């Protein structure tokens, strides 16, 4: 039995890296019957069907330590949630949804990467960092000006990292800086709708060095959290955690209840914009339920 890792999936075929080669593998029927979808990042056991043509068939998928559903990728050590400082402007609602998604999957390291940072003032960067940096690492970059690339490279060394974020924020350009030989296709911003053109077509695992892998993925402009219950949401705001067991009521939802330890920290240890984001998402999840 051979062991490898899925680095790309295209049209029902899975490309497995093993023994210094890339094997094009099909998934056996048992995966479809069991409703199991092989995923980029999966460690797999596979059978070599043709060594000369590097063709094979997937047999089993090793146990995953985590899996992101959007982008769909398994066994992630670090999520690099990437937005542009401007053109397009930061969508704070989408950013908070990405952070929640990463928290639900217990991804060990989460980095907020703000690209095109050379286009905004230091004051604007400081104001943004003050909201998130006590709880997440914030890295300001410019792929075009080669700013912050060394810091980002240091942060992700030894990790399997996934770039996730909207189209047009420069994810592929950043990867080209981190892995020059990858030659990722990049696109321009649509002037009409201020969104990026989709240049990355599928999720792909790229090797930066012997210890570091990077996942490029298609961008998108919305992210549903309907897999969550509204009561669970409090667990995925890091700044809430020191105060969750200190409210007057055990079932406090941190909305209208008196003597709420979370609400008492709003404007202090808890940023008001982040709290307002929590309230908005809570009401959305409650209505969907």
């Amino acid at each position: 039995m051979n062991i490898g890792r899925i680095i790309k999936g295209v049209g029902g075929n899975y490309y497995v890296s093993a023994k210094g080669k890339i094997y094009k593998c099909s998934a056996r029927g048992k995966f479809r019957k069991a409703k199991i979808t092989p995923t980029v990042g999966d460690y797999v056991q596979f059978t070599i069907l043709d060594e000369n043509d590097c063709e094979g068939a997937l047999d089993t998928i090793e146990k995953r330590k985590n899996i992101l559903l959007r982008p769909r990728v398994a066994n992630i050590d670090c999520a690099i949630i990437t937005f542009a400082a401007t053109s397009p402007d930061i969508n704070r609602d989408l950013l908070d949804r990405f952070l929640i998604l990463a928290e639900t999957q217990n991804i060990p390291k989460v980095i907020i990467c703000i690209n095109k940072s050379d286009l905004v003032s230091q004051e604007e960067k400081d104001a943004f960092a003050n909201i998130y940096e006590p709880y997440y690492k914030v890295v300001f970059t410019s792929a075009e000006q080669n700013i912050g690339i060394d810091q980002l490279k240091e942060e992700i060394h030894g990790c399997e990292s996934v770039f996730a974020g909207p189209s047009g924020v420069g994810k592929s350009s950043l990867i080209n800086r981190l892995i020059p030989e990858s030659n990722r296709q990049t696109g321009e911003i649509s002037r009409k709708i201020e969104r990026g053109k989709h240049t990355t077509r599928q999720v792909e695992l790229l090797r930066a060095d012997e210890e570091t892998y990077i996942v490029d993925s298609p961008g998108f402009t919305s992210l549903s959290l309907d897999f969550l219950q509204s009561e669970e949401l409090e667990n995925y705001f890091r700044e809430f955690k020191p105060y969750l067991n200190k409210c007057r009521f055990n079932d406090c939802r941190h909305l209208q209840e008196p003597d709420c330890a979370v609400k008492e920290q709003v404007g202090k240890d808890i940023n008001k914009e982040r709290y307002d984001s929590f309230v908005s998402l809570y009401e959305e999840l409650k209505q969907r339920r």
Side-chain angles (χ1 to χ4, degrees), residues 190-242:
S190 167
R191 294 182 180 178
K192 183 176 181 181
I193 59 175
E194 279 287 297
R195 292 179 186 171
K197 298 176 182 179
H198 295 268
T199 53
T200 301
R201 303 302 180 183
Q202 69 270 328
V203 178
E204 183 172 0
L205 184 63
L206 307 169
R207 180 178 175 178
D209 57 47
E210 291 185 359
E211 301 177 322
T212 308
Y213 291 84
I214 296 174
V215 180
D216 193 11
S217 63
F220 44 91
T221 56
S222 64
L223 181 63
S224 173
L225 298 176
D226 55 7
F227 61 91
L228 278 180
Q229 300 293 326
S230 56
E231 301 82 38
E232 300 176 284
L233 188 61
E234 63 181 24
N235 298 311
Y236 304 119
F237 278 73
R238 290 186 179 183
E239 52 268 73
F240 285 17
K241 290 185 178 181

Short mmCIF file of all heavy atoms in Angstrom, two decimals, residues 190-242:
data_model
loop_
_atom_site.label_atom_id
_atom_site.label_comp_id
_atom_site.label_asym_id
_atom_site.label_seq_id
_atom_site.Cartn_x
_atom_site.Cartn_y
_atom_site.Cartn_z
N SER A 190 -12.60 44.36 -11.18
CA SER A 190 -13.64 44.87 -12.05
C SER A 190 -14.02 46.27 -11.58
O SER A 190 -14.46 46.46 -10.45
CB SER A 190 -14.87 43.95 -11.99
OG SER A 190 -15.98 44.58 -12.59
N ARG A 191 -13.83 47.25 -12.41
CA ARG A 191 -14.14 48.64 -12.02
C ARG A 191 -15.63 48.84 -11.79
O ARG A 191 -16.04 49.68 -11.00
CB ARG A 191 -13.64 49.59 -13.10
CG ARG A 191 -12.12 49.62 -13.24
CD ARG A 191 -11.68 50.62 -14.29
NE ARG A 191 -10.22 50.65 -14.40
CZ ARG A 191 -9.58 51.42 -15.27
NH1 ARG A 191 -10.27 52.23 -16.09
NH2 ARG A 191 -8.27 51.39 -15.33
N LYS A 192 -16.43 48.07 -12.46
CA LYS A 192 -17.88 48.26 -12.36
C LYS A 192 -18.41 47.85 -11.00
O LYS A 192 -19.24 48.52 -10.41
CB LYS A 192 -18.59 47.48 -13.47
CG LYS A 192 -20.09 47.68 -13.49
CD LYS A 192 -20.72 46.96 -14.67
CE LYS A 192 -22.23 47.18 -14.71
NZ LYS A 192 -22.86 46.46 -15.84
N ILE A 193 -17.93 46.71 -10.50
CA ILE A 193 -18.48 46.19 -9.24
C ILE A 193 -17.46 46.13 -8.12
O ILE A 193 -17.78 45.70 -7.02
CB ILE A 193 -19.10 44.78 -9.45
CG1 ILE A 193 -18.02 43.81 -9.96
CG2 ILE A 193 -20.27 44.83 -10.39
CD1 ILE A 193 -18.52 42.36 -10.07
N GLU A 194 -16.23 46.60 -8.37
CA GLU A 194 -15.20 46.63 -7.35
C GLU A 194 -14.97 45.26 -6.75
O GLU A 194 -14.75 45.10 -5.54
CB GLU A 194 -15.56 47.62 -6.23
CG GLU A 194 -15.25 49.05 -6.56
CD GLU A 194 -13.76 49.35 -6.51
OE1 GLU A 194 -13.15 49.22 -5.44
OE2 GLU A 194 -13.19 49.68 -7.56
N ARG A 195 -15.01 44.23 -7.57
CA ARG A 195 -14.70 42.88 -7.12
C ARG A 195 -13.62 42.30 -8.01
O ARG A 195 -13.45 42.71 -9.14
CB ARG A 195 -15.94 41.97 -7.18
CG ARG A 195 -17.02 42.34 -6.19
CD ARG A 195 -18.19 41.40 -6.35
NE ARG A 195 -19.32 41.80 -5.52
CZ ARG A 195 -20.53 41.24 -5.60
NH1 ARG A 195 -20.75 40.29 -6.47
NH2 ARG A 195 -21.49 41.65 -4.81
N GLY A 196 -12.94 41.33 -7.45
CA GLY A 196 -11.88 40.70 -8.23
C GLY A 196 -12.42 39.69 -9.21
O GLY A 196 -13.46 39.08 -8.99
N LYS A 197 -11.71 39.52 -10.30
CA LYS A 197 -12.04 38.47 -11.24
C LYS A 197 -11.48 37.16 -10.71
O LYS A 197 -10.40 37.10 -10.15
CB LYS A 197 -11.44 38.79 -12.61
CG LYS A 197 -11.97 40.08 -13.22
CD LYS A 197 -11.27 40.39 -14.53
CE LYS A 197 -11.77 41.71 -15.11
NZ LYS A 197 -11.07 42.04 -16.38
N HIS A 198 -12.23 36.07 -10.89
CA HIS A 198 -11.81 34.77 -10.38
C HIS A 198 -10.69 34.22 -11.24
O HIS A 198 -10.91 33.79 -12.37
CB HIS A 198 -13.00 33.79 -10.35
CG HIS A 198 -14.07 34.20 -9.39
ND1 HIS A 198 -14.10 33.75 -8.09
CD2 HIS A 198 -15.12 35.03 -9.52
CE1 HIS A 198 -15.14 34.29 -7.47
NE2 HIS A 198 -15.77 35.06 -8.31
N THR A 199 -9.46 34.21 -10.70
CA THR A 199 -8.33 33.69 -11.45
C THR A 199 -7.92 32.30 -10.95
O THR A 199 -7.33 31.54 -11.69
CB THR A 199 -7.13 34.65 -11.34
OG1 THR A 199 -6.86 34.92 -9.96
CG2 THR A 199 -7.45 35.96 -12.05
N THR A 200 -8.18 31.99 -9.69
CA THR A 200 -7.92 30.66 -9.18
C THR A 200 -9.17 29.81 -9.37
O THR A 200 -10.24 30.16 -8.88
CB THR A 200 -7.54 30.72 -7.68
OG1 THR A 200 -6.39 31.53 -7.52
CG2 THR A 200 -7.26 29.33 -7.14
N ARG A 201 -9.03 28.69 -10.07
CA ARG A 201 -10.19 27.89 -10.44
C ARG A 201 -10.47 26.73 -9.49
O ARG A 201 -11.59 26.26 -9.40
CB ARG A 201 -10.01 27.33 -11.86
CG ARG A 201 -9.78 28.41 -12.92
CD ARG A 201 -10.91 29.40 -12.98
NE ARG A 201 -10.68 30.43 -13.98
CZ ARG A 201 -11.48 31.45 -14.20
NH1 ARG A 201 -12.57 31.59 -13.47
NH2 ARG A 201 -11.21 32.36 -15.12
N GLN A 202 -9.43 26.22 -8.83
CA GLN A 202 -9.64 25.12 -7.91
C GLN A 202 -8.67 25.24 -6.74
O GLN A 202 -7.70 25.98 -6.79
CB GLN A 202 -9.45 23.77 -8.60
CG GLN A 202 -8.02 23.46 -9.01
CD GLN A 202 -7.69 23.94 -10.39
OE1 GLN A 202 -8.55 23.97 -11.26
NE2 GLN A 202 -6.44 24.32 -10.62
N VAL A 203 -8.98 24.49 -5.68
CA VAL A 203 -8.11 24.45 -4.52
C VAL A 203 -6.88 23.62 -4.88
O VAL A 203 -7.00 22.54 -5.46
CB VAL A 203 -8.84 23.84 -3.31
CG1 VAL A 203 -7.91 23.74 -2.11
CG2 VAL A 203 -10.07 24.67 -2.97
N GLU A 204 -5.70 24.12 -4.54
CA GLU A 204 -4.48 23.39 -4.86
C GLU A 204 -3.45 23.59 -3.75
O GLU A 204 -3.25 24.69 -3.24
CB GLU A 204 -3.90 23.87 -6.19
CG GLU A 204 -2.67 23.10 -6.64
CD GLU A 204 -2.23 23.47 -8.04
OE1 GLU A 204 -2.88 24.32 -8.67
OE2 GLU A 204 -1.21 22.90 -8.49
N LEU A 205 -2.80 22.49 -3.37
CA LEU A 205 -1.77 22.50 -2.35
C LEU A 205 -0.40 22.69 -3.01
O LEU A 205 -0.01 21.90 -3.86
CB LEU A 205 -1.81 21.18 -1.57
CG LEU A 205 -0.86 21.01 -0.38
CD1 LEU A 205 -1.20 22.02 0.71
CD2 LEU A 205 -0.97 19.60 0.18
N LEU A 206 0.30 23.76 -2.62
CA LEU A 206 1.59 24.11 -3.22
C LEU A 206 2.70 23.96 -2.19
O LEU A 206 2.51 24.31 -1.02
CB LEU A 206 1.56 25.55 -3.73
CG LEU A 206 0.41 25.92 -4.67
CD1 LEU A 206 0.36 27.42 -4.87
CD2 LEU A 206 0.54 25.21 -6.00
N ARG A 207 3.84 23.48 -2.64
CA ARG A 207 4.97 23.30 -1.74
C ARG A 207 5.87 24.51 -1.77
O ARG A 207 6.38 24.89 -2.82
CB ARG A 207 5.75 22.04 -2.14
CG ARG A 207 6.96 21.76 -1.26
CD ARG A 207 7.64 20.49 -1.70
NE ARG A 207 8.86 20.26 -0.95
CZ ARG A 207 9.65 19.21 -1.10
NH1 ARG A 207 9.33 18.28 -1.99
NH2 ARG A 207 10.75 19.07 -0.39
N ALA A 208 6.06 25.14 -0.60
CA ALA A 208 6.97 26.28 -0.50
C ALA A 208 8.38 25.81 -0.19
O ALA A 208 9.35 26.33 -0.73
CB ALA A 208 6.49 27.26 0.57
N ASP A 209 8.51 24.86 0.73
CA ASP A 209 9.77 24.20 1.03
C ASP A 209 9.44 22.85 1.67
O ASP A 209 8.28 22.45 1.70
CB ASP A 209 10.67 25.06 1.94
CG ASP A 209 10.01 25.45 3.26
OD1 ASP A 209 9.43 24.56 3.92
OD2 ASP A 209 10.05 26.62 3.64
N GLU A 210 10.44 22.16 2.18
CA GLU A 210 10.22 20.82 2.70
C GLU A 210 9.26 20.79 3.88
O GLU A 210 8.65 19.76 4.15
CB GLU A 210 11.56 20.19 3.11
CG GLU A 210 12.48 19.86 1.93
CD GLU A 210 13.73 19.14 2.36
OE1 GLU A 210 13.90 18.92 3.58
OE2 GLU A 210 14.55 18.80 1.48
N GLU A 211 9.11 21.89 4.57
CA GLU A 211 8.27 21.93 5.77
C GLU A 211 7.04 22.80 5.63
O GLU A 211 6.22 22.86 6.54
CB GLU A 211 9.09 22.42 6.97
CG GLU A 211 10.31 21.56 7.29
CD GLU A 211 11.12 22.13 8.43
OE1 GLU A 211 11.25 23.38 8.50
OE2 GLU A 211 11.61 21.36 9.25
N THR A 212 6.91 23.49 4.50
CA THR A 212 5.86 24.50 4.38
C THR A 212 5.04 24.28 3.12
O THR A 212 5.60 24.13 2.03
CB THR A 212 6.48 25.92 4.33
OG1 THR A 212 7.36 26.09 5.46
CG2 THR A 212 5.41 26.98 4.36
N TYR A 213 3.71 24.27 3.29
CA TYR A 213 2.80 24.11 2.16
C TYR A 213 1.76 25.23 2.21
O TYR A 213 1.36 25.67 3.29
CB TYR A 213 2.09 22.75 2.20
CG TYR A 213 3.01 21.58 1.92
CD1 TYR A 213 3.78 21.02 2.94
CD2 TYR A 213 3.12 21.05 0.64
CE1 TYR A 213 4.63 19.96 2.70
CE2 TYR A 213 3.97 19.97 0.39
CZ TYR A 213 4.72 19.44 1.41
OH TYR A 213 5.57 18.40 1.15
N ILE A 214 1.34 25.66 1.05
CA ILE A 214 0.36 26.74 0.95
C ILE A 214 -0.77 26.30 0.04
O ILE A 214 -0.54 25.72 -1.03
CB ILE A 214 1.01 28.03 0.40
CG1 ILE A 214 2.08 28.54 1.37
CG2 ILE A 214 -0.03 29.11 0.15
CD1 ILE A 214 2.87 29.71 0.85
N VAL A 215 -1.99 26.57 0.46
CA VAL A 215 -3.17 26.26 -0.35
C VAL A 215 -3.71 27.54 -0.95
O VAL A 215 -4.03 28.50 -0.23
CB VAL A 215 -4.27 25.58 0.50
CG1 VAL A 215 -5.48 25.27 -0.38
CG2 VAL A 215 -3.74 24.31 1.15
N ASP A 216 -3.80 27.58 -2.27
CA ASP A 216 -4.49 28.67 -2.96
C ASP A 216 -5.91 28.20 -3.22
O ASP A 216 -6.16 27.01 -3.43
CB ASP A 216 -3.79 29.00 -4.27
CG ASP A 216 -4.28 30.32 -4.87
OD1 ASP A 216 -4.99 31.07 -4.17
OD2 ASP A 216 -3.95 30.59 -6.03
N SER A 217 -6.86 29.11 -3.19
CA SER A 217 -8.26 28.72 -3.37
C SER A 217 -9.03 29.83 -4.03
O SER A 217 -8.66 31.00 -3.94
CB SER A 217 -8.90 28.39 -2.00
OG SER A 217 -8.93 29.53 -1.17
N PRO A 218 -10.14 29.50 -4.70
CA PRO A 218 -10.97 30.54 -5.33
C PRO A 218 -11.54 31.48 -4.28
O PRO A 218 -11.85 31.09 -3.16
CB PRO A 218 -12.08 29.73 -6.01
CG PRO A 218 -11.53 28.35 -6.15
CD PRO A 218 -10.64 28.14 -4.97
N GLY A 219 -11.69 32.75 -4.66
CA GLY A 219 -12.30 33.72 -3.76
C GLY A 219 -13.82 33.69 -3.85
O GLY A 219 -14.40 33.16 -4.80
N PHE A 220 -14.46 34.24 -2.83
CA PHE A 220 -15.92 34.34 -2.86
C PHE A 220 -16.36 35.50 -1.99
O PHE A 220 -15.58 36.01 -1.19
CB PHE A 220 -16.57 33.03 -2.40
CG PHE A 220 -15.94 32.40 -1.18
CD1 PHE A 220 -16.39 32.70 0.09
CD2 PHE A 220 -14.88 31.52 -1.31
CE1 PHE A 220 -15.81 32.13 1.21
CE2 PHE A 220 -14.29 30.95 -0.19
CZ PHE A 220 -14.76 31.26 1.07
N THR A 221 -17.61 35.90 -2.16
CA THR A 221 -18.07 37.14 -1.53
C THR A 221 -19.14 36.92 -0.46
O THR A 221 -19.70 37.88 0.07
CB THR A 221 -18.63 38.10 -2.60
OG1 THR A 221 -19.67 37.43 -3.33
CG2 THR A 221 -17.53 38.54 -3.55
N SER A 222 -19.45 35.67 -0.14
CA SER A 222 -20.43 35.41 0.92
C SER A 222 -20.03 34.12 1.64
O SER A 222 -19.34 33.28 1.09
CB SER A 222 -21.84 35.28 0.35
OG SER A 222 -21.93 34.17 -0.52
N LEU A 223 -20.48 33.99 2.87
CA LEU A 223 -20.17 32.81 3.67
C LEU A 223 -21.28 32.59 4.67
O LEU A 223 -21.49 33.41 5.57
CB LEU A 223 -18.82 33.00 4.38
CG LEU A 223 -18.34 31.84 5.25
CD1 LEU A 223 -18.11 30.60 4.40
CD2 LEU A 223 -17.06 32.22 5.97
N SER A 224 -22.01 31.49 4.51
CA SER A 224 -23.11 31.17 5.41
C SER A 224 -22.58 30.46 6.65
O SER A 224 -21.67 29.63 6.57
CB SER A 224 -24.13 30.28 4.69
OG SER A 224 -25.11 29.84 5.62
N LEU A 225 -23.18 30.77 7.80
CA LEU A 225 -22.84 30.10 9.05
C LEU A 225 -24.01 29.26 9.55
O LEU A 225 -24.15 29.01 10.74
CB LEU A 225 -22.45 31.13 10.12
CG LEU A 225 -21.21 31.99 9.82
CD1 LEU A 225 -21.02 33.02 10.93
CD2 LEU A 225 -19.97 31.13 9.68
N ASP A 226 -24.85 28.81 8.62
CA ASP A 226 -26.08 28.14 9.04
C ASP A 226 -25.84 26.75 9.63
O ASP A 226 -26.79 26.10 10.07
CB ASP A 226 -27.08 28.05 7.87
CG ASP A 226 -26.51 27.39 6.64
OD1 ASP A 226 -25.38 26.86 6.71
OD2 ASP A 226 -27.18 27.40 5.59
N PHE A 227 -24.61 26.30 9.68
CA PHE A 227 -24.29 25.05 10.37
C PHE A 227 -24.18 25.26 11.88
O PHE A 227 -24.07 24.31 12.65
CB PHE A 227 -22.98 24.46 9.83
CG PHE A 227 -21.79 25.36 10.02
CD1 PHE A 227 -21.01 25.26 11.15
CD2 PHE A 227 -21.47 26.31 9.05
CE1 PHE A 227 -19.92 26.10 11.33
CE2 PHE A 227 -20.38 27.14 9.22
CZ PHE A 227 -19.60 27.04 10.36
N LEU A 228 -24.24 26.53 12.32
CA LEU A 228 -24.13 26.87 13.73
C LEU A 228 -25.49 27.14 14.35
O LEU A 228 -26.40 27.63 13.68
CB LEU A 228 -23.28 28.13 13.91
CG LEU A 228 -21.76 28.02 13.92
CD1 LEU A 228 -21.17 29.40 14.12
CD2 LEU A 228 -21.27 27.07 14.99
N GLN A 229 -25.63 26.83 15.63
CA GLN A 229 -26.77 27.26 16.41
C GLN A 229 -26.45 28.64 17.00
O GLN A 229 -25.29 28.92 17.34
CB GLN A 229 -27.07 26.27 17.53
CG GLN A 229 -27.39 24.87 17.07
CD GLN A 229 -28.70 24.80 16.31
OE1 GLN A 229 -29.65 25.53 16.61
NE2 GLN A 229 -28.75 23.92 15.32
N SER A 230 -27.45 29.47 17.15
CA SER A 230 -27.20 30.83 17.65
C SER A 230 -26.55 30.79 19.04
O SER A 230 -25.70 31.63 19.34
CB SER A 230 -28.52 31.61 17.71
OG SER A 230 -29.49 30.93 18.49
N GLU A 231 -26.91 29.79 19.86
CA GLU A 231 -26.36 29.72 21.22
C GLU A 231 -24.87 29.36 21.22
O GLU A 231 -24.17 29.60 22.21
CB GLU A 231 -27.11 28.68 22.06
CG GLU A 231 -28.59 28.94 22.21
CD GLU A 231 -29.38 28.44 21.01
OE1 GLU A 231 -29.03 27.36 20.48
OE2 GLU A 231 -30.31 29.14 20.59
N GLU A 232 -24.38 28.80 20.13
CA GLU A 232 -22.96 28.42 20.05
C GLU A 232 -22.06 29.59 19.71
O GLU A 232 -20.85 29.55 19.94
CB GLU A 232 -22.77 27.33 18.99
CG GLU A 232 -23.53 26.04 19.23
CD GLU A 232 -23.34 25.09 18.06
OE1 GLU A 232 -23.96 25.31 17.00
OE2 GLU A 232 -22.56 24.13 18.22
N LEU A 233 -22.62 30.63 19.16
CA LEU A 233 -21.83 31.71 18.56
C LEU A 233 -20.87 32.35 19.55
O LEU A 233 -19.74 32.71 19.20
CB LEU A 233 -22.77 32.77 17.97
CG LEU A 233 -22.13 33.87 17.13
CD1 LEU A 233 -21.43 33.29 15.91
CD2 LEU A 233 -23.20 34.87 16.69
N GLU A 234 -21.28 32.49 20.80
CA GLU A 234 -20.44 33.15 21.80
C GLU A 234 -19.07 32.47 21.96
O GLU A 234 -18.08 33.11 22.33
CB GLU A 234 -21.15 33.15 23.16
CG GLU A 234 -21.39 31.76 23.72
CD GLU A 234 -22.10 31.77 25.06
OE1 GLU A 234 -22.81 32.75 25.38
OE2 GLU A 234 -21.95 30.77 25.79
N ASN A 235 -19.01 31.17 21.66
CA ASN A 235 -17.77 30.41 21.84
C ASN A 235 -16.71 30.73 20.79
O ASN A 235 -15.55 30.32 20.94
CB ASN A 235 -18.07 28.91 21.81
CG ASN A 235 -18.99 28.49 22.93
OD1 ASN A 235 -18.77 28.84 24.09
ND2 ASN A 235 -20.04 27.75 22.59
N TYR A 236 -17.11 31.44 19.72
CA TYR A 236 -16.20 31.67 18.61
C TYR A 236 -15.77 33.13 18.48
O TYR A 236 -15.20 33.51 17.47
CB TYR A 236 -16.84 31.15 17.33
CG TYR A 236 -17.23 29.69 17.47
CD1 TYR A 236 -18.55 29.28 17.35
CD2 TYR A 236 -16.26 28.73 17.76
CE1 TYR A 236 -18.90 27.95 17.52
CE2 TYR A 236 -16.61 27.40 17.92
CZ TYR A 236 -17.92 27.02 17.81
OH TYR A 236 -18.26 25.69 17.97
N PHE A 237 -16.04 33.92 19.50
CA PHE A 237 -15.49 35.26 19.62
C PHE A 237 -14.46 35.21 20.74
O PHE A 237 -14.81 35.13 21.92
CB PHE A 237 -16.59 36.28 19.94
CG PHE A 237 -17.36 36.74 18.73
CD1 PHE A 237 -18.27 35.90 18.11
CD2 PHE A 237 -17.17 38.02 18.21
CE1 PHE A 237 -18.98 36.31 16.98
CE2 PHE A 237 -17.88 38.45 17.09
CZ PHE A 237 -18.77 37.59 16.47
N ARG A 238 -13.19 35.25 20.38
CA ARG A 238 -12.13 35.03 21.36
C ARG A 238 -12.18 36.02 22.51
O ARG A 238 -11.87 35.68 23.66
CB ARG A 238 -10.76 35.11 20.67
CG ARG A 238 -10.47 33.94 19.74
CD ARG A 238 -9.04 34.00 19.21
NE ARG A 238 -8.77 32.86 18.34
CZ ARG A 238 -7.58 32.62 17.78
NH1 ARG A 238 -6.57 33.45 18.00
NH2 ARG A 238 -7.41 31.57 17.01
N GLU A 239 -12.57 37.26 22.22
CA GLU A 239 -12.57 38.27 23.27
C GLU A 239 -13.68 38.05 24.30
O GLU A 239 -13.64 38.64 25.38
CB GLU A 239 -12.67 39.67 22.67
CG GLU A 239 -13.83 39.88 21.69
CD GLU A 239 -13.44 39.61 20.24
OE1 GLU A 239 -13.26 38.43 19.91
OE2 GLU A 239 -13.34 40.57 19.46
N PHE A 240 -14.66 37.19 23.98
CA PHE A 240 -15.74 36.91 24.93
C PHE A 240 -15.31 35.90 25.99
O PHE A 240 -15.87 35.87 27.10
CB PHE A 240 -16.96 36.34 24.20
CG PHE A 240 -17.75 37.35 23.40
CD1 PHE A 240 -17.22 38.59 23.07
CD2 PHE A 240 -19.04 37.05 22.98
CE1 PHE A 240 -17.96 39.51 22.33
CE2 PHE A 240 -19.78 37.95 22.24
CZ PHE A 240 -19.24 39.18 21.91
N LYS A 241 -14.37 35.04 25.67
CA LYS A 241 -14.11 33.84 26.47
C LYS A 241 -13.79 34.10 27.94
O LYS A 241 -14.26 33.36 28.82
CB LYS A 241 -13.01 33.01 25.81
CG LYS A 241 -13.48 32.35 24.51
CD LYS A 241 -12.44 31.43 23.91
CE LYS A 241 -12.99 30.77 22.64
NZ LYS A 241 -12.01 29.84 22.04
N PRO A 242 -13.02 35.16 28.29
CA PRO A 242 -12.74 35.37 29.71
C PRO A 242 -13.97 35.72 30.55
O PRO A 242 -13.92 35.65 31.78
CB PRO A 242 -11.75 36.55 29.70
CG PRO A 242 -11.17 36.56 28.34
CD PRO A 242 -12.28 36.11 27.44
#
